[in-house]
C-alpha cells in the first residue's frame, strides 16, 4: 500500500473520530457548565435544602451550605465571604441558582458582604452576615495538667481579638496565660494556673463564651487512681486477677500519686501474648460464697453508673517516654459481667442471685465479646507522649472489635461493666518490635457530655 496514502487516510479517520466525539459529547452533556459574560443579579439567598427553600437567609454560620437565587449566575468565576474565598463547584451552578458552602476559616477582615468576581474581573457585592460562634471547647491535652505546665485545648473558634482578648478561666476563677493560638483557631496553648478545684474550663472570645464538656481534675466515675479508697468499700483498687505483680509506683514523673506501669518488656511485631507484663486485670469478687463484693472485690459498676454506657467514655492519663516508644500490639479494653468473669469459684452465686463464671481468660480470647482497641502508633509507626502526661479518651460506643481487631460478633449490655482488663496484645496489625513503657493513672468512666 502507498505509505503516503495510508497516512492521509489515517489522519482523516482520526479527525473524523474527533469530530464525532465532540458532537457526541455536546449531545450527551446539554447542561454542561459554561462561563458566561455579563453581570450576575442576586434576588435572595435561601437554605440549600429543598425542604427549606421557602426560607430566606440574611446570615449563616461558617460551613453552612446556602443557595443564591438570581439571574446570570453562570457569570460568577470567584466568590468571597468577607475575605475568605469559597470553593465553587460548577455542577451546582445554573443560570438562576448557585449552591455554595461558606468557608470554615474565620475572616480577618469582616465586611458582612459576599464578593462575586466575573470573568471580566468585575466585582459585585451582596450584604450577608457570617455568624461566628462562641468557642467550641472539645478536649484538653491533659485534664490533670499541673499548675505551671503548658497544656493545650482543642476545639474551634478560638479568636483573640485585639480589643477583646481570648480568655481561659479555670473552675476556681483563675485565668490562664495564653501562649499561642494556631492559624485555624482550633488549638490554644496556655500555662495552667494554680488551681486545685475540679470542674469545667470556660473559654471566652469576642463572640461569646463556652464551657468544656470535660472537667479539669475530673474525679467522676474514678475506678482506679491507685491512691485513694473508693466510695463504696473504702478499698484502694489495683490488680485483682491472676497477675498482681505489675508495677504500681509514684517513683518517677507522677501525675497524681501512684500509677500503673504496663510493659518495660519486649513486645514482638505481632504484639504476641504476654499477660505477665502487658495485662492489667480487675475481676470483681473475693472468693466468698455467696459473693458480696466487699473490700477490694467491688463491682466496677458500683463505682460508676453504666446504665447509659453508649454515651460514656473511659478516660485515663498516659505517659510513654521517648526512650521507650510503643510500636506493636493493640491496647485492648475488655469488659465483662460476673457471668463471664469473677474472682472466685465458678458456679457460686452472689448476693443478688447471679451465677459467677469464676476466673478464666477464655471469655475474651475470641471475636465475640466487643472491646475497645487503642493503637495510636498505627498512623506513624511509633508513638510516645514526648515525656509528658496526656489524657486518652476511649468512647464506649467504639467498643465493637474482637480479639483479632475485626468486628465483634456479640454485643454489650449494661451488666457487662463489672470488670475490666487492659491488655496490650494482637489487634490484627503488624508493627515493629519494641520495649514500651506505658504509664496509666486516674482511670475513670464518665459521661461524654
Amino acid at each position: 500500500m502507498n505509505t503516503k496514502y495510508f497516512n492521509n487516510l489515517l489522519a482523516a479517520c482520526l479527525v473524523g473520530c474527533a469530530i464525532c466525539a465532540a458532537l457526541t459529547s455536546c449531545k450527551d452533556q446539554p447542561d454542561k457548565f459554561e462561563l458566561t459574560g455579563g453581570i450576575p443579579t442576586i434576588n435572595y439567598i435561601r437554605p440549600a435544602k429543598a425542604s427549606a427553600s421557602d426560607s430566606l437567609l440574611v446570615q449563616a454560620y461558617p460551613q453552612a451550605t446556602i443557595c443564591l437565587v438570581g439571574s446570570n449566575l453562570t457569570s460568577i468565576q470567584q466568590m468571597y465571604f468577607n475575605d475568605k474565598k469559597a470553593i465553587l463547584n460548577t455542577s451546582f451552578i445554573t443560570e438562576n441558582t448557585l449552591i455554595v458552602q461558606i468557608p470554615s476559616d474565620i475572616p480577618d477582615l469582616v465586611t458582612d458582604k459576599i464578593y462575586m468576581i466575573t470573568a471580566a474581573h468585575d466585582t459585585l457585592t451582596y450584604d450577608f452576615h457570617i455568624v461566628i460562634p462562641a468557642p467550641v471547647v472539645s478536649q484538653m491535652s491533659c485534664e490533670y495538667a499541673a499548675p505551671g505546665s503548658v497544656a493545650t485545648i482543642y476545639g474551634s473558634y478560638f479568636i483573640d481579638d485585639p480589643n477583646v482578648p481570648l480568655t481561659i478561666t479555670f473552675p476556681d476563677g483563675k485565668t490562664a496565660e495564653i501562649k499561642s493560638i494556631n492559624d485555624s483557631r482550633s488549638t490554644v496553648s496556655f500555662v495552667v494556673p494554680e488551681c486545685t478545684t475540679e470542674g469545667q474550663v470556660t473559654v471566652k472570645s469576642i463572640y461569646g463564651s463556652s464551657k468544656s464538656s470535660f472537667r479539669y481534675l475530673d474525679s467522676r466515675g474514678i475506678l482506679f487512681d491507685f491512691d485513694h479508697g473508693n466510695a463504696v468499700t473504702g478499698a484502694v483498687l489495683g490488680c485483682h486477677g491472676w497477675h498482681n505483680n505489675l508495677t504500681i509506683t509514684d517513683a518517677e514523673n507522677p501525675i497524681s500519686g501512684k500509677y500503673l506501669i504496663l510493659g518495660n518488656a519486649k513486645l514482638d511485631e505481632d504484639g504476641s501474648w504476654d499477660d505477665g507484663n502487658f495485662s492489667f486485670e480487675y475481676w470483681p469478687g473475693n472468693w466468698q460464697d455467696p459473693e458480696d463484693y466487699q473490700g477490694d472485690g467491688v463491682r466496677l459498676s458500683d463505682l460508676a453508673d453504666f446504665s447509659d454506657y453508649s454515651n460514656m467514655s473511659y478516660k485515663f492519663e498516659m505517659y510513654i517516654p521517648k526512650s521507650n516508644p510503643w510500636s506493636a500490639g493493640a491496647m485492648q479494653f475488655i469488659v465483662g459481667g460476673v457471668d463471664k468473669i469473677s474472682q472466685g469459684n465458678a458456679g457460686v452465686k452472689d448476693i443478688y442471685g447471679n451465677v459467677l463464671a469464676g476466673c478464666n481468660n477464655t471469655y475474651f480470647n475470641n471475636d465475640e465479646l466487643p472491646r475497645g482497641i487503642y493503637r495510636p502508633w498505627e498512623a506513624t509507626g511509633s508513638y510516645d507522649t514526648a515525656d509528658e502526661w496526656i489524657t486518652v479518651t476511649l468512647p464506649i460506643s467504639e467498643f465493637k472489635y474482637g480479639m483479632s481487631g475485626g468486628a465483634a460478633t456479640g454485643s454489650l449490655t449494661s451488666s457487662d461493666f463489672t470488670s475490666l482488663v487492659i491488655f496490650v496484645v494482637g489487634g490484627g496489625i503488624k508493627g515493629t518490635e519494641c520495649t514500651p513503657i506505658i504509664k496509666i493513672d486516674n482511670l475513670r468512666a464518665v459521661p461524654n457530655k
Side-chain angles (χ1 to χ4, degrees):
M1 177 182 289
N2 185 288
T3 303
K4 183 176 181 181
Y5 172 79
F6 177 80
N7 289 338
N8 289 339
L9 179 63
L10 178 61
C13 289
L14 291 174
V15 170
C17 290
I19 293 172
C20 289
L23 291 173
T24 302
S25 177
C26 292
K27 183 178 180 181
D28 290 345
Q29 302 181 62
D31 298 323
K32 182 180 178 182
F33 175 84
E34 292 184 7
L35 188 65
T36 58
I39 301 297
T41 300
I42 306 298
N43 296 332
Y44 59 89
I45 296 176
R46 63 171 176 81
K49 288 185 178 180
S51 60
S53 60
D54 57 347
S55 301
L56 302 186
L57 298 177
V58 295
Q59 63 180 26
Y61 286 93
Q63 301 187 67
T65 302
I66 61 175
C67 180
L68 284 65
V69 179
S71 59
N72 197 29
L73 302 188
T74 48
S75 66
I76 299 173
Q77 188 177 49
Q78 298 180 60
M79 181 175 290
Y80 289 79
F81 289 80
N82 295 305
D83 59 350
K84 299 303 177 183
K85 188 175 184 178
I87 297 174
L88 295 182
N89 186 336
T90 57
S91 299
F92 299 115
I93 302 176
T94 70
E95 165 73 18
N96 300 113
T97 59
L98 186 153
I99 296 175
V100 63
Q101 184 180 58
I102 298 171
S104 59
D105 294 337
I106 305 302
D108 296 309
L109 178 63
V110 177
T111 59
D112 284 335
K113 291 184 183 297
I114 300 174
Y115 297 91
M116 294 158 284
I117 303 173
T118 69
H121 304 295
D122 293 315
T123 301
L124 290 88
T125 64
Y126 188 86
D127 292 338
F128 195 77
H129 177 59
I130 305 302
V131 182
I132 307 301
V136 176
V137 189
S138 303
Q139 294 177 291
M140 185 171 170
S141 56
C142 182
E143 294 174 12
Y144 275 73
S149 66
V150 176
T152 301
I153 285 179
Y154 303 90
S156 52
Y157 307 114
F158 298 138
I159 300 168
D160 191 32
D161 186 271
N163 298 314
V164 184
L166 189 76
T167 60
I168 300 174
T169 305
F170 272 66
D172 63 354
K174 295 187 178 71
T175 57
E177 174 194 349
I178 293 178
K179 302 291 288 185
S180 63
I181 302 171
N182 72 343
D183 291 341
S184 62
R185 281 93 162 190
S186 60
T187 67
V188 52
S189 296
F190 56 94
V191 178
V192 179
E194 292 288 339
C195 177
T196 58
T197 304
E198 176 185 345
Q200 295 170 288
V201 175
T202 301
V203 181
K204 184 178 181 180
S205 77
I206 189 173
Y207 298 105
S209 65
S210 300
K211 288 188 175 182
S212 63
S213 57
F214 64 83
R215 295 190 186 185
Y216 181 62
L217 302 178
D218 197 355
S219 65
R220 298 171 300 165
I222 285 283
L223 306 178
F224 307 96
D225 68 1
F226 309 110
D227 293 292
H228 305 100
N230 68 78
V232 175
T233 66
V236 179
L237 301 189
C239 304
H240 200 253
W242 281 338
H243 304 93
N244 58 4
N245 59 341
L246 295 180
T247 303
I248 296 177
T249 181
D250 58 358
E252 186 178 353
N253 306 117
I255 187 168
S256 57
K258 294 180 180 178
Y259 52 82
L260 168 72
I261 298 179
L262 295 178
N264 202 14
K266 189 165 290 186
L267 190 64
D268 69 19
E269 61 184 12
D270 295 313
S272 296
W273 190 290
D274 181 3
D275 51 356
N277 291 300
F278 288 95
S279 176
F280 169 80
E281 301 157 348
Y282 182 85
W283 301 336
N286 275 312
W287 300 90
Q288 301 299 309
D289 186 4
E291 180 58 64
D292 58 8
Y293 306 113
Q294 292 302 301
D296 59 356
V298 65
R299 299 178 302 176
L300 297 182
S301 54
D302 292 327
L303 304 181
D305 181 4
F306 288 95
S307 58
D308 189 24
Y309 65 89
S310 61
N311 292 309
M312 296 176 66
S313 295
Y314 284 106
K315 285 190 174 187
F316 56 95
E317 275 60 60
M318 183 176 73
Y319 181 110
I320 301 176
K322 290 188 287 186
S323 61
N324 292 77
W326 177 18
S327 59
M331 183 183 289
Q332 304 201 21
F333 266 63
I334 307 162
V335 299
V338 295
D339 61 322
K340 298 181 178 71
I341 185 66
S342 64
Q343 186 81 323
N345 291 317
V348 169
K349 288 187 176 182
D350 64 15
I351 58 176
Y352 306 104
N354 301 305
V355 178
L356 308 189
C359 301
N360 70 92
N361 62 14
T362 59
Y363 74 103
F364 68 77
N365 192 12
N366 53 59
D367 288 333
E368 179 180 356
L369 183 67
R371 79 283 310 276
I373 283 186
Y374 179 57
R375 194 168 41 217
W377 56 264
E378 183 179 353
T380 58
S382 182
Y383 182 78
D384 63 74
T385 62
D387 296 333
E388 295 181 349
W389 285 91
I390 66 167
T391 296
V392 176
T393 301
L394 298 180
I396 297 177
S397 61
E398 292 299 311
F399 280 41
K400 56 188 179 183
Y401 301 98
M403 183 72 178
S404 60
T409 59
S411 58
L412 294 174
T413 69
S414 58
S415 63
D416 281 318
F417 295 88
T418 60
S419 66
L420 180 65
V421 168
I422 305 173
F423 192 1
V424 182
V425 63
I429 294 181
K430 192 181 293 292
T432 56
E433 185 179 280
C434 55
T435 308
I437 294 175
I438 305 173
K439 303 178 182 181
I440 293 175
D441 202 358
N442 305 319
L443 202 152
R444 53 202 183 272
V446 299
N448 292 337
K449 295 182 179 180

